[in-house]
């Protein structure tokens, strides 16, 4: 997590750095800081809290300079205090860091024994001392960084400036993302291309172990063996308009409303509408002979995989295992021959998912990833990628990335079902047409916004909430609960409706809102019975269903949210909308920070 930026040019650095930090704030917002060189000397400003707090400080105490670095932090080692805020600096060097230095205690002890005085509790500060120690020993900045990198264990991206060197910024990458932006007579570094999108569309992505010397004129990249290498410059598609908030109050609401378009884009990359057939790009394995798919992901992306399990098993009769990456990566799961690993991630940088992917590779299995950031580490390390075409997702809570992940997974399930001949061609065509209808259906579903807002008003006062669903709607219940807790800090649980009686039913009383996702379909009557069990114990039912479902069991509900009728296959996408909007509006009622909920970060690059 953490966002880092660097700038070298001939205009004031701080406005450029601050705009970059605002764009990177989704990565963490516990503290922020910038450092520049003024007449060769390092100066810095650091503030606890969001980038806006740093801006207020800079308004009171401006910082000049045409070269500098900046950081927005998601705290790992050390509390979010000013002393722990980056940049870490001494008289010789200033540094920003994203990642974790695993051997920091050892290095710190070694450097303290040499007389270095540390001022923070962070692991990052050791890098600044390590480099300055080498500078003291007459190493050039380049040689000092190259030598320091060899002592560091862990994952990191770093950017450094050096006292007296107005002509040099150095960046290095191992495990955490870092991109170099190419300007005209100026250059930039950033954790991702989004941070630089307002400055340039010319990006050089560093590879693992690379470090880079950057001047106003350009850059020289060195590989892990310190040899100069050429890394291709790429043109990104990001534009300022794509990543603005538009007329929306929050990024999250904008992104919820973008779902018809995002799903439509994603579908058009995978579906031939004329023949109503899924057309996948060439895959490095034969779909017909895959013995098992192992889906691995974190958080919301995991819940997309959890929905997919129902589709793959029912439609394709395909054995599927799903797991959260942080557990999977250490379980040493045996991977049977003929299996394929599937990794789902919006950012493509989630370290647990990436590590799980690497484990699967060591087991000799092909790796397919479903990612939203095509340049990400997960995409690069996969044998093939099915991209979600959601566009940049800035709100920390995932919305359009989730429904586009579902869209890709649904297409994949249909392709497997066709290959394995487990579903008839007529049924496959019907299901594909259902998928094609999704953008319009989601558009119609978004009309429930006002109704959801009314329900949210009553939910905002609750301490707890229970979400129930069955079949492929069970993961949607979990997703609803996840969204509610991360945005509103209301404790929420998502449960399989049939499992409620094995424990959670003890929680039901007149205070407990129970949000039930119950589309009319094969499992409706079963869920209806669970609704009765809640009502019989005085629980408050918030029923999310279609017109028929509401007519059948909505009478005794405290509130109903009516969504358009949807084929059972695509119901998970449709029911994602009410649970997203419910969490969103409840958060607005509570006045919590919708786009940047406390303690969270969008890109989780630490374990
Ligand atoms: C929740 C949310 C997270 C992410 C998770 C994985 O709203 O956004 O649970 O889904 O951190 O992130 P990615 O998809 O980037 O791997």
């Amino acid at each position: 997590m953490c966002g880092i930026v660097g700038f070298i040019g001939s205009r004031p650095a701080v406005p450029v750095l601050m705009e970059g930090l605002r764009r990177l704030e989704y990565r963490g917002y516990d503290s922020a800081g910038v450092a520049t060189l003024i007449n060769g000397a390092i100066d810095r400003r650091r503030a606890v809290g969001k980038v806006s707090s740093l801006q207020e400080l800079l308004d009171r105490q401006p910082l000049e300079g045409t070269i500098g670095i900046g950081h927005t932090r998601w705290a790992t080692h050390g509390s979010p205090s000013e002393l722990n805020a980056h940049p870490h600096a001494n008289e010789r060097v200033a540094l920003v860091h994203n990642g974790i230095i695993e051997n920091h205690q050892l290095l710190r002890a070694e450097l303290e024994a040499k007389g270095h005085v540390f001022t923070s509790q962070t692991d990052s500060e050791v890098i600044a001392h390590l480099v300055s120690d080498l500078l003291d020993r007459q190493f050039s900045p380049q040689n000092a960084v190259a030598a320091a990198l060899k002592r560091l264990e862990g994952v990191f991206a770093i950017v450094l400036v050096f006292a007296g060197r107005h002509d040099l910024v150095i960046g290095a990458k191992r495990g955490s993302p870092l991109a170099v932006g190419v300007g005209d007579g100026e250059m930039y570094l950033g954790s991702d291309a989004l941070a630089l999108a307002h400055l340039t569309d010319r990006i050089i992505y560093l590879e693992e172990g690379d470090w880079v010397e950057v001047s106003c004129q350009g850059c020289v990249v060195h590989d892990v063996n310190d040899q100069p290498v050429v890394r291709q410059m790429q043109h990104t598609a990001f534009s300022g308009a794509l990543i603005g908030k538009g007329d929306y109050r929050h990024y999250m609401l904008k992104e919820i409303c973008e779902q018809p378009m995002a799903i439509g884009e994603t579908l058009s990359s995978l579906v031939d509408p004329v023949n109503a057939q899924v057309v996948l790009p060439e895959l490095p394995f034969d779909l017909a002979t895959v013995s098992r798919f192992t889906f691995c992901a974190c958080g919301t992306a995991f819940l997309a995989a959890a929905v997919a399990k129902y589709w793959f098993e029912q439609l394709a009769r395909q054995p599927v295992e799903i797991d959260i990456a942080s557990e999977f990566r250490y379980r040493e799961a045996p991977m049977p021959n003929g299996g394929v690993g599937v990794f789902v991630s919006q950012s493509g940088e989630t370290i647990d998912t990436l590590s799980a992917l690497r484990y699967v590779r060591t087991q000799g299995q092909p790796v397919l990833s479903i990612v939203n950031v095509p340049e990400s580490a997960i995409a690069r390390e996969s044998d093939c990628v099915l991209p979600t075409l959601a566009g940049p997702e800035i709100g920390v809570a995932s919305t359009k990335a989730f429904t586009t992940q579902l869209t890709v997974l649904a297409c994949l399930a249909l392709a497997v079902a066709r290959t394995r001949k487990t579903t008839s061609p007529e049924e496959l065509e019907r299901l594909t047409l259902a998928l094609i209808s999704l953008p319009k259906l989601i558009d119609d579903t978004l009309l429930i916004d006002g109704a959801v807002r009314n329900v949210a008003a009553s939910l905002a006062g609750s301490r707890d909430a229970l979400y129930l669903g069955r079949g492929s709607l069970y993961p949607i219940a979990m997703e609803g609960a996840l969204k509610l807790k991360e945005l509103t800090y209301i404790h929420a649980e998502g449960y399989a409706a049939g499992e409620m009686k094995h424990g959670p039913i003890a929680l039901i009383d007149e205070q407990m809102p129970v949000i039930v996702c119950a589309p009319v379909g094969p499992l409706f009557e079963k869920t209806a019975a669970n609704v009765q069990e809640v009502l019989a114990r005085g629980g408050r039912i918030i029923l999310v269903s279609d017109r028929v479902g509401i007519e059948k069991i909505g009478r005794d509900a405290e509130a109903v949210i009516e969504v358009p009728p949807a084929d059972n296959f695509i119901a998970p996408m449709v029911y994602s909308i009410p649970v997203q909007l419910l969490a969103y509006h409840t958060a607005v009622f509570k006045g919590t920070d919708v786009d940047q909920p406390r303690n969270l970060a969008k890109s989780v690059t630490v374990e």
Side-chain angles (χ1 to χ4, degrees):
M1 355 264 263
C2 301
I4 59 178
V5 283
F7 173 73
I8 182 163
S10 51
R11 58 179 167 142
V14 164
V16 181
L17 296 172
M18 289 300 286
E19 182 56 27
L21 290 186
R22 277 186 276 272
R23 287 161 185 265
L24 284 171
E25 204 169 22
Y26 71 89
R27 300 178 72 89
Y29 30 83
D30 289 332
S31 65
V34 287
T36 60
L37 291 188
I38 303 163
N39 298 327
I42 293 165
D43 200 357
R44 61 180 163 161
R45 303 283 181 269
R46 299 180 293 170
V48 172
K50 298 196 164 189
V51 174
S52 55
S53 307
L54 177 63
Q55 186 61 60
E56 283 164 22
L57 175 65
L58 284 162
D59 291 343
R60 292 193 305 275
Q61 300 172 27
L63 200 55
E64 293 174 357
T66 58
I67 170 173
I69 55 179
H71 188 270
T72 176
R73 176 168 189 243
W74 188 81
T76 55
H77 293 63
S79 60
S81 65
E82 189 182 327
L83 281 181
N84 287 332
H86 299 220
H88 293 288
N90 53 34
E91 276 160 23
R92 287 188 162 284
V93 63
L95 154 126
V96 287
H97 166 224
N98 168 31
I100 289 186
I101 305 303
E102 284 167 1
N103 57 340
H104 72 105
Q105 280 168 322
L106 194 89
L107 293 171
R108 186 174 179 135
E110 183 184 310
L111 289 156
E112 279 175 340
K114 285 184 171 179
H116 286 261
V117 178
F118 283 71
T119 55
S120 80
Q121 303 155 309
T122 65
D123 54 334
S124 314
E125 196 184 348
V126 293
I127 313 173
H129 287 280
L130 194 57
V131 172
S132 66
D133 193 65
L134 293 156
L135 294 171
D136 285 343
R137 288 155 52 194
Q138 309 310 320
F139 280 59
S140 67
Q142 291 87 338
N143 289 345
V145 171
L149 290 175
K150 300 197 173 41
R151 302 282 326 271
L152 300 177
E153 289 169 17
V155 291
F156 52 84
I158 54 175
V159 184
L160 310 97
V161 288
F162 304 85
R165 291 298 303 266
H166 285 267
D167 57 341
L168 179 68
V169 180
I170 294 185
K173 173 200 152 64
R174 192 194 298 162
S176 302
L178 188 63
V180 181
V182 179
D184 296 320
E186 56 185 38
M187 295 284 287
Y188 328 97
L189 287 127
S191 293
D192 61 34
L194 271 184
L196 309 178
H198 61 303
L199 298 165
T200 184
D201 66 345
R202 286 173 285 163
I203 299 290
I204 297 167
Y205 289 99
L206 298 182
E207 294 190 6
E208 284 309 300
D210 283 356
W211 60 275
V212 59
E213 301 174 63
V214 184
S215 69
C216 289
Q217 281 71 45
C219 67
V220 180
V221 183
H222 303 260
D223 67 11
V224 70
N225 300 315
D226 304 328
Q227 295 306 310
V229 280
V230 176
R231 303 284 180 229
Q232 288 308 322
M233 191 174 75
Q234 301 176 23
H235 288 268
T236 65
F238 294 138
S239 75
L242 258 181
I243 52 182
K245 215 185 284 178
D247 290 335
Y248 292 91
R249 189 167 162 198
H250 298 103
Y251 278 110
M252 182 183 180
L253 186 59
K254 174 174 178 260
E255 288 157 7
I256 289 174
C257 294
E258 281 171 353
Q259 287 175 106
M261 194 176 69
I263 292 173
E265 289 283 318
T266 305
L267 278 174
S268 53
S269 70
L270 295 172
V271 174
D272 165 6
V274 178
N275 298 307
Q277 209 176 63
V278 170
V279 184
L280 295 183
E282 200 174 322
L283 300 173
F285 51 85
D286 183 0
L287 274 186
T289 58
V290 176
S291 61
R292 186 180 80 181
F293 283 100
T294 302
F295 288 104
C296 230
C298 299
T300 289
F302 166 75
L303 295 173
V307 171
K309 182 174 170 72
Y310 290 87
W311 291 330
F312 276 70
E313 290 183 350
Q314 286 170 352
L315 299 172
R317 312 295 303 144
Q318 169 77 61
V320 160
E321 185 169 339
I322 53 170
D323 211 340
I324 45 177
S326 55
E327 285 301 315
F328 176 83
R329 62 180 289 193
Y330 293 116
R331 227 179 50 224
E332 296 181 25
M335 308 300 291
N337 283 344
V340 171
V342 183
F343 298 84
V344 187
S345 174
Q346 187 285 129
S347 62
E349 299 290 347
T350 303
I351 195 72
D352 284 323
T353 310
L354 181 59
S355 306
L357 178 157
R358 288 175 179 158
Y359 170 77
V360 166
R361 286 195 81 100
T362 64
Q363 302 300 298
Q365 294 214 340
V367 162
L368 164 70
S369 66
I370 296 171
V371 291
N372 198 41
V373 180
E375 307 85 4
S376 60
I378 291 178
R380 285 199 312 269
E381 295 192 27
S382 299
D383 297 307
C384 56
V385 180
L386 295 179
T388 50
L389 302 181
E393 191 181 66
I394 310 289
V396 164
S398 191
T399 52
K400 60 178 181 170
F402 178 61
T403 47
T404 51
Q405 285 160 358
L406 289 176
T407 303
V408 172
L409 287 160
C411 289
L412 187 59
L414 292 186
V416 178
R418 188 176 71 222
T419 313
R420 291 167 66 93
K421 299 189 173 47
T422 47
T423 300
S424 69
E426 297 73 31
E427 179 65 355
L428 281 174
E429 183 179 334
R430 196 185 68 76
L431 296 174
T432 311
L433 289 172
L435 274 182
I436 293 172
S437 75
L438 255 179
K440 166 82 173 74
L441 196 56
I442 299 291
D443 214 24
D444 294 345
T445 310
L446 286 166
L447 297 174
I448 61 174
D449 187 58
V452 176
R453 202 177 317 137
N454 292 337
V455 178
S458 71
L459 197 61
S462 305
R463 207 190 57 183
D464 308 284
L466 191 60
Y467 284 71
L468 298 178
R470 269 181 189 263
S472 60
L473 271 295
Y474 164 38
I476 301 303
M478 290 197 280
E479 169 64 0
L482 179 63
K483 285 283 158 299
L484 191 75
K485 66 186 139 197
E486 70 180 326
L487 291 171
T488 69
Y489 319 141
I490 294 172
H491 167 247
E493 292 198 47
Y495 244 81
E499 183 69 6
M500 179 186 62
K501 54 189 166 298
H502 299 288
I505 200 163
L507 297 171
I508 305 288
D509 62 13
E510 311 72 46
Q511 311 296 323
M512 175 67 102
V514 183
I515 298 105
V516 186
C517 297
V520 168
L523 299 173
F524 179 77
E525 301 302 336
K526 305 279 176 208
T527 312
N530 303 128
V531 167
Q532 293 309 321
E533 289 158 11
V534 173
L535 288 172
R537 286 154 185 87
R540 300 164 50 194
I541 289 286
I542 296 169
L543 178 67
V544 188
S545 187
D546 44 42
R547 190 176 50 77
V548 174
I550 288 170
E551 274 169 14
K552 282 189 172 172
I553 58 168
R555 206 181 42 247
D556 295 323
E558 176 182 292
V560 294
I561 298 171
E562 183 183 328
V563 297
D567 189 277
N568 195 44
F569 177 47
I570 53 169
M573 289 78 143
V574 174
Y575 282 69
S576 297
I577 306 299
V579 299
Q580 292 169 353
L581 284 172
L582 194 56
Y584 170 76
H585 286 300
T586 309
V588 172
F589 273 113
K590 290 198 73 172
T592 52
D593 192 333
V594 169
D595 284 330
Q596 294 173 340
R598 71 179 179 211
N599 302 337
L600 288 172
K602 182 111 190 114
S603 176
V604 186
T605 51
V606 294
E607 284 191 46

